[in-house]
Amino acid sequence: LLHQAAQNGCIPVLKDLIDKGFDTEQLNQDDETPIFTAIRARKIEAVRVLVKAKANLNHTNSDEQTPLALAKSQNFSEAVKVLRAAGAKR
């Protein structure tokens, strides 16, 4: 459900699920957490919510990309800024 909320940019639902204890580190078939889904969908507010919820910024997907690396490869400069400000290194 977190992946769907992140992909759709449905911030109230995303926040509600996090508040109810849904795991921000839930993996999809590509070993990606919801923050990757938000980046792929270019949903900057979802990225911000997940960063604030302490999503793991160093997780690597099946392609060995971190969220920051994915944002860079997608030319998603807003997400790159948010991730770097939150301490993402690679």
Side-chain angles (χ1 to χ4, degrees):
L1 288 175
L2 274 182
H3 283 276
Q4 289 176 330
Q7 181 169 347
N8 295 327
C10 192
I11 302 309
V13 172
L14 187 61
K15 287 180 176 180
D16 188 50
L17 293 172
I18 292 167
D19 288 346
K20 288 182 178 174
F22 279 70
D23 186 6
T24 61
E25 302 308 309
Q26 179 187 24
L27 299 177
N28 66 12
Q29 68 276 6
D30 297 315
D31 289 331
E32 293 184 342
T33 61
I35 199 164
F36 286 87
T37 304
I39 291 166
R40 287 190 188 282
R42 302 185 76 81
K43 303 295 185 184
I44 191 62
E45 284 306 315
V47 172
R48 286 187 179 112
V49 167
L50 290 161
V51 165
K52 187 176 179 181
K54 305 290 187 217
N56 181 355
L57 304 182
N58 297 309
H59 178 81
T60 55
N61 64 13
S62 59
D63 292 327
E64 298 299 316
Q65 287 182 307
T66 62
L68 179 59
L70 177 63
K72 287 179 182 178
S73 75
Q74 301 281 317
N75 295 314
F76 191 7
S77 60
E78 290 175 283
V80 170
K81 289 177 190 173
V82 169
L83 293 166
R84 281 193 174 143
K89 301 290 187 214
R90 53 183 192 104

